[in-house]
Amino acid sequence: MKKLVTFLFIVVGALALALVIGRARANPGDLDPTWGDGGVARVAFTENGDVMTASHLDPDGKVVASGWVNGYPGDFGVTRLRTDGSFDPTFGDAGKVMNRFGDDPDRPNSSWSIGPRPGGGYLVAGERCDADYVVCEWLTAAYNPDGTLDESFDGDGWTTTTVAGAQGVYAWPPTNLLQPDGKSIVGGIVWQMDGDIDIALRRYNPDGSLDDTFGDGGLAVFDIDEQGDYIEYMALLPDGKILVLGGTGEVVDPFTYIGDHGFLVRVNGDGSMDNSFGAGGKVMWGEVGSGTGAEGMAVSSAGDIFVSGLTAGETEGTTDCAVWRFDAGGAMDMTFGEGDLLTIDDGGDEHCYTANLLPDGKLALTGDILPPAAERSAGGRIRERGGAGSRSAQVGGASRMSAASQVGTTADALVARINPNGTLDETFGDGGLLIHDVEEQDNDGTIALVQPNGMILVIGRVIDLETGIDDIAISRFQGDAWPTVGQLDPTWGDGGSTIADITADEDWGNAHVLMDDGRYIVAGWVGVPGDFGVVRYRSNGRLDTSFGEGGKVITAFSDDPTLVDVAWAAVARPDGGLYVAGDTCDADYVICELGIAAYRADGSLDTAFSGDGLATVSTALGPTYAWPGRAVVQPDGKLVVGGVVLLENDVDLLLARFLPNGTPDDTFGVDGVATADLGQTENLMQDLMPLPGGKFLAVGAFGDYNDPLSAEQVAGFIARFNADGSLDMAFGGGDGYTSWNQTGLGALGQHALATPDNKLLIMGRQATADGADCTLQRFDMNGNHDTTFGDGGLVVLAGSANVRCLEMDYDGAGRIMFGLQDLPPEEERADTATARAAERLARRVGARTDGPATQQEEVPGNIVGRVMADGTLDATFGDNGLVRPSLADGWGLIFNLTVQPDGKTLVSGDTLFEFVTARILGDGPAARTLMPVVRR
């Protein structure tokens, strides 16, 4: 029984031709009726047979395909289709170009790869061979955007290249790479005199000459393994290095090998091997006789490397489609799929040739399924030679297609879609697969492209079983519904969110920091009784395994397991490391010192900071505690942390400044510590923000004292400190601070932002008769309340019986993203750790449990919102300005929010037992770009 699998993928080939699904509405994987004829565009250059071997998607959405056309010996053929699948009449002769290079009509000219050229043209590469298709040379042609040959390339638009001392050279991978400087990289193989096959890269200048700064005179040859080495795919990385995928195995002839290993090689920009990648510059997997083969590759913007290919099937003599994932350093991801790979077995002999990343982070695969084949053609491509013009004879043996017809069955195209974690996407086709049969003929799907709108183009071929003539089909399949602004970003983690279990006990994600390189760090209170816990995520939400142990670090300030260490703030260091601040306390979490841990970029403690990477703040006044969720690294590298100091029946504000080596800065306060009593009973600092001139803004609340860790909130405040730690008495009403309590029932200042017009925006909470409101207020830089903002100076973001205000950030378009919690009323919440509130003080109420707490039936709610610069809710975002993301089956409670430079919003928190993160889409051009960027 064939499975009908629909793919969000552009498959360019005869493979995707005639899948007709009788549904009343379009579903992912349905043929797109607006493309070609009912979803299929047929291409025929001549009646002699045509094979499309490579394709390219233009920035304007046009599809360009190249191949070996006009039968045997054949010509270069290039076609360009408009966005509706019709031929582009501005290209060549009604959308098609055929070229034969040289004067000998018996010499095969076959095209095997394509890539863009500067100015919008195309570089097409292949082979020109003797009449028997044995001895070949590389043939490279440059086309203008209109399909004419670009005569600025080597004088007539084409050039040939060979390797001295070799029996022959052959084109191989289907893609050519265009560097930002206009130079092009083309791959191939070299048949050495001793019969060995090596891989080769060559780099051309825009004028068609070889670039002598690359390799040896423009050519770099690599011998990967003692067996034959075949290059299958290439990708250009952001740093200019080249990632090469290939396979090794027993050589049958230059065109055929019996694969047993896959390999990845990273090449420097000068053509030398990058020995920092994998082991000595390469990564290999598989074993002799394993049938392992590597065919296609996709590289995400986060550096993930996805490889498609094949592995030995459970039935002897069969193969299964296989997919592996590697990190940017070449380490195989053992969490991907089942153990280390995903296999697809539909009962036949499955090969996956092309892998491409979809805009939502999923992976599209194309290939074929057919009866077992004794040998496979390298690259999965039919390479024919021989004098009679036969297109049924493969180089070195019977082709896969002809093997299918010999046993009375047809070869079909295989299309699949997989999730980022290596599982089949069951929303696609039949359990994630589509077996695509075209007119009951032999067909395959050798090439796949992905359009920015999520549609999939499949390029393949159809072979008439009676005539043996190839035809070309390019089909387009519908994609999923496009995610909209305010929805979870499917390219982050697993469908937009992540869960990270740090310890076997409770883990709370209290603080976060977005690093300059796009990595995201969450820190908090992990385990019982508690340690600092830090997790670093890559830009796609996966754990960054180059940090700590598997992306996680746990730090204790002493060897005493009964003591409590809790992280409450995090800030990036200029060297790529970070500081984490919090409390280090006695076993009852009563007597504490404010503690700081300094981490290097790899997660290890920086022993250049205070000798062991750890420092504490102590004063003769009393115990000290960390409070704000932020710390500050000044331009001179000094670290400033905020907190409170416990006096007898009083709590004062505290600021401490450290030099980069971890010693207190004696130019700040007294021995590096400054304290301030703003005149109320208890002063609690919720946020700390740097101001121009080296000054600092403290945000918090006055309260009636309960205990060192809690108070009844009386009023909110903002206070300004000078660069030396003294209270700036020019701020506010001459007291160094401004306070508010509009309802008379209590208020809190929670988080601060500096506006583009040099004002202070303060998020806070005010008590009401029915519960509380989350509010925004605006002040000038001297602490004067701006009553023109909102309603008399106040904007109410949301109100309920127990709303909690978190953090806010600008989205790059002048709007403010903010995060809230809308918790159940107090009487409906269990009196356990699950009753935590958003404010740092409420998170400290009560002792931690001796073991994992029990989750209650009542699930807390998250709110993420967006307001305009004037404080009005942005009705274009979510439901009248608000969205309510549900994380970890409803148990994920967010505490932290920040906006990436591309306008996407990151939030983080915990479920009580694990850290959680999520990313939310914005609506600017960058924030709506889901494509993880496949670099070619």
Side-chain angles (χ1 to χ4, degrees):
M1 177 108 185
K2 292 179 180 177
K3 298 179 180 177
L4 298 179
V5 178
T6 317
F7 218 109
L8 291 178
F9 196 71
I10 303 174
V11 182
V12 183
L15 181 154
L17 220 169
L19 173 64
V20 179
I21 304 175
R23 296 175 182 166
R25 62 182 179 86
N27 293 289
D30 286 358
L31 286 170
D32 176 13
T34 68
W35 170 267
D37 183 6
V40 178
R42 300 293 293 262
V43 179
F45 283 80
T46 70
E47 296 180 353
N48 298 323
D50 310 308
V51 178
M52 285 291 99
T53 57
S55 64
H56 168 72
L57 187 65
D58 273 347
D60 61 3
K62 294 178 181 178
V63 177
V64 185
S66 63
W68 185 6
V69 303
N70 195 24
Y72 193 92
D75 302 323
F76 271 33
V78 186
T79 184
R80 188 166 70 194
L81 305 183
R82 294 184 294 194
T83 56
D84 62 358
S86 62
F87 288 113
D88 180 0
T90 67
F91 182 82
D93 182 6
K96 293 178 284 187
V97 170
M98 286 199 318
N99 291 102
R100 164 162 286 280
F101 301 97
D103 299 327
D104 190 341
D106 295 327
R107 297 189 65 176
N109 286 205
S110 57
S111 162
W112 296 102
S113 64
I114 191 171
R117 288 253 305 150
Y122 313 101
L123 191 73
V124 179
E127 302 153 356
R128 187 174 68 165
C129 306
D130 61 14
D132 295 325
Y133 212 133
V134 175
V135 179
C136 300
E137 58 189 354
W138 289 315
L139 173 61
T140 308
Y143 291 87
N144 291 309
D146 63 0
T148 59
L149 287 172
D150 180 358
E151 294 183 356
S152 71
F153 187 84
D154 203 50
D156 52 8
W158 62 281
T159 187
T160 58
T161 309
T162 189
V163 175
Q167 295 190 64
V169 295
Y170 308 90
W172 220 264
T175 184
N176 303 327
L177 306 178
L178 175 63
Q179 297 184 165
D181 60 4
K183 298 178 181 180
S184 296
I185 299 166
V186 183
I189 60 172
V190 179
W191 184 21
Q192 304 287 13
M193 292 301 296
D194 62 1
D196 192 18
I197 302 292
D198 295 334
I199 69 170
L201 302 180
R202 61 194 191 274
R203 187 161 70 191
Y204 293 101
N205 294 310
D207 64 2
S209 62
L210 285 171
D211 177 11
D212 58 12
T213 68
F214 183 82
D216 183 5
L219 179 67
V221 179
F222 302 96
D223 187 0
I224 306 300
D225 187 71
E226 61 184 13
Q227 300 192 90
D229 309 324
Y230 289 79
I231 180 172
E232 300 288 357
Y233 210 86
M234 302 184 300
L236 186 64
L237 302 178
D239 59 3
K241 296 180 180 180
I242 305 146
L243 189 65
V244 176
L245 171 74
T248 71
E250 178 185 348
V251 177
V252 177
D253 59 38
F255 303 95
T256 312
Y257 72 103
I258 303 172
D260 51 37
H261 287 84
F263 68 80
L264 288 165
V265 171
R266 194 164 68 193
V267 179
N268 294 313
D270 63 0
S272 62
M273 185 88 77
D274 178 7
N275 292 323
S276 68
F277 180 78
K282 62 184 178 181
V283 173
M284 297 188 68
W285 66 99
E287 57 186 27
V288 175
S290 67
T292 299
E295 300 281 0
M297 179 173 64
V299 182
S300 77
S301 59
D304 286 328
I305 304 165
F306 295 89
V307 173
S308 61
L310 60 153
T311 188
E314 292 186 4
T315 302
E316 184 176 357
T318 66
T319 58
D320 292 338
C321 170
V323 185
W324 298 266
R325 184 171 67 189
F326 301 83
D327 67 19
M332 183 178 288
D333 186 349
M334 306 305 289
T335 69
F336 184 77
E338 296 184 5
D340 59 359
L341 80 163
L342 166 70
T343 58
I344 299 176
D345 182 5
D346 197 53
D349 193 8
E350 296 87 10
H351 287 190
C352 281
Y353 300 138
T354 307
N356 214 329
L357 283 163
L358 292 161
D360 60 2
K362 296 176 182 178
L363 193 70
L365 303 174
T366 55
D368 61 31
I369 178 171
L370 69 165
E375 297 174 348
R376 72 181 186 91
S377 171
R381 306 180 190 88
I382 296 178
R383 310 288 295 261
E384 303 162 52
R385 58 190 174 101
S390 167
R391 301 191 63 84
S392 62
Q394 181 187 20
V395 175
S399 73
R400 286 173 57 83
M401 292 304 185
S402 61
S405 59
Q406 288 168 7
V407 296
T409 62
T410 62
D412 296 325
L414 180 150
V415 183
R417 189 169 73 190
I418 64 174
N419 297 311
N421 63 1
T423 59
L424 283 168
D425 178 8
E426 295 187 356
T427 67
F428 178 82
D430 183 4
L433 295 178
L434 170 65
I435 305 304
H436 186 52
D437 191 8
V438 179
E439 298 179 350
E440 298 185 355
Q441 305 291 318
D442 279 334
N443 57 101
D444 63 10
T446 55
I447 305 170
L449 300 174
V450 172
Q451 290 181 327
N453 63 3
M455 289 189 177
I456 299 167
L457 287 168
V458 174
I459 303 175
R461 60 188 178 139
V462 180
I463 300 178
D464 189 294
L465 292 181
E466 294 183 1
T467 65
I469 298 299
D470 293 356
D471 195 5
I472 302 163
I474 303 176
S475 303
R476 187 162 72 188
F477 297 88
Q478 301 277 6
D480 285 328
W482 203 245
T484 60
V485 57
Q487 292 184 333
L488 292 179
D489 178 1
T491 67
W492 175 265
D494 185 7
S497 64
T498 70
I499 298 176
D501 195 6
I502 316 303
T503 71
D505 296 308
E506 303 167 33
D507 303 322
W508 294 358
N510 300 333
H512 68 144
V513 58
L514 179 63
M515 308 297 283
D516 289 341
D517 61 4
R519 303 187 204 200
Y520 185 55
I521 290 176
V522 179
W525 184 0
V526 303
V528 174
D531 295 315
F532 278 27
V534 186
V535 175
R536 189 167 74 189
Y537 301 87
R538 296 165 57 191
S539 59
N540 60 0
R542 291 182 55 216
L543 290 176
D544 181 0
T545 56
S546 68
F547 181 81
E549 184 175 348
K552 308 171 189 177
V553 171
I554 298 175
T555 303
F557 277 70
S558 77
D559 296 329
D560 188 341
T562 67
L563 301 186
V564 181
D565 300 321
V566 183
W568 294 106
V571 64
R573 303 196 323 178
D575 61 359
L578 74 152
Y579 293 111
V580 176
D583 302 329
T584 177
C585 308
D586 61 16
D588 296 322
Y589 205 146
V590 175
I591 305 300
C592 301
E593 288 183 325
L594 192 159
I596 301 103
Y599 297 95
R600 299 185 181 97
D602 64 1
S604 62
L605 287 170
D606 182 2
T607 54
F609 182 85
S610 195
D612 58 0
L614 303 174
T616 59
V617 177
S618 60
T619 74
L621 299 174
T624 59
Y625 306 83
W627 276 87
R630 283 194 286 187
V632 175
V633 174
Q634 298 183 163
D636 59 5
K638 295 179 181 180
L639 169 69
V640 180
V641 295
V644 299
V645 57
L646 176 63
L647 310 176
E648 185 176 356
N649 296 324
D650 193 9
V651 176
D652 285 353
L653 302 179
L654 177 147
L655 295 177
R657 188 160 72 189
F658 291 85
L659 301 174
N661 65 4
T663 59
D665 179 6
D666 58 13
T667 68
F668 187 83
V670 179
D671 296 328
V673 178
T675 62
D677 183 357
L678 301 186
Q680 302 290 333
T681 302
E682 186 165 345
N683 305 258
L684 302 173
M685 190 188 306
Q686 295 294 116
D687 194 19
L688 180 66
M689 185 178 75
L691 294 174
K695 298 184 178 185
F696 305 94
L697 186 75
V699 182
F702 299 132
D704 289 334
Y705 181 89
N706 286 336
D707 60 47
L709 303 179
S710 66
E712 295 296 327
Q713 299 162 20
V714 173
F717 74 80
I718 52 175
R720 190 168 71 189
F721 290 82
N722 292 310
D724 63 0
S726 61
L727 193 62
D728 184 354
M729 306 307 289
F731 186 80
D735 299 319
Y737 70 91
T738 297
S739 65
W740 63 89
N741 180 17
Q742 287 94 335
T743 64
L745 299 175
L748 167 81
Q750 177 68 23
H751 197 249
L753 275 181
T755 68
D757 58 352
N758 207 32
K759 294 183 180 180
L760 301 172
L761 193 65
I762 306 299
M763 173 186 274
R765 182 172 180 260
Q766 67 176 15
T768 66
D770 299 323
D773 291 334
C774 187
T775 63
L776 286 180
Q777 298 181 81
R778 193 166 65 192
F779 300 82
D780 67 20
M781 279 293 175
N782 290 317
N784 299 307
H785 193 202
D786 181 0
T787 57
T788 67
F789 181 74
D791 184 5
L794 187 71
V795 170
V796 175
L797 299 174
S800 72
N802 200 28
V803 69
R804 307 293 181 181
C805 315
L806 304 175
E807 292 183 341
M808 58 182 172
D809 200 2
Y810 276 104
D811 72 346
R815 300 166 300 197
I816 301 109
M817 299 295 303
F818 62 88
L820 313 174
Q821 295 169 359
D822 187 10
L823 302 179
E826 291 286 345
E827 63 271 15
E828 296 180 16
R829 294 188 290 129
D831 188 21
T832 68
T834 56
R836 299 163 299 145
E839 289 81 24
R840 299 309 191 257
L841 65 92
R843 298 206 72 177
R844 302 157 188 251
V845 175
R848 296 201 67 179
T849 58
D850 293 331
T854 302
Q855 291 180 330
Q856 307 300 309
E857 292 183 1
E858 190 66 51
V859 178
N862 301 307
I863 297 176
V864 175
R866 189 167 74 188
V867 295
M868 308 302 289
D870 62 2
T872 57
L873 285 167
D874 181 359
T876 68
F877 181 84
D879 183 7
N880 195 32
L882 304 176
V883 297
R884 299 175 181 268
S886 178
L887 307 178
D889 296 327
W891 285 106
L893 196 60
I894 65 173
F895 289 89
N896 313 299
L897 179 146
T898 189
V899 179
Q900 297 181 165
D902 62 5
K904 297 179 182 179
T905 300
L906 280 167
V907 295
S908 60
D910 56 74
T911 66
L912 176 65
F913 298 97
E914 308 100 350
F915 286 7
V916 296
T917 71
R919 189 161 68 189
I920 297 168
L921 292 172
D923 56 3
R928 294 291 300 120
T929 301
L930 299 181
M931 182 74 71
V933 185
V934 179
R935 306 180 191 91
R936 295 181 173 180

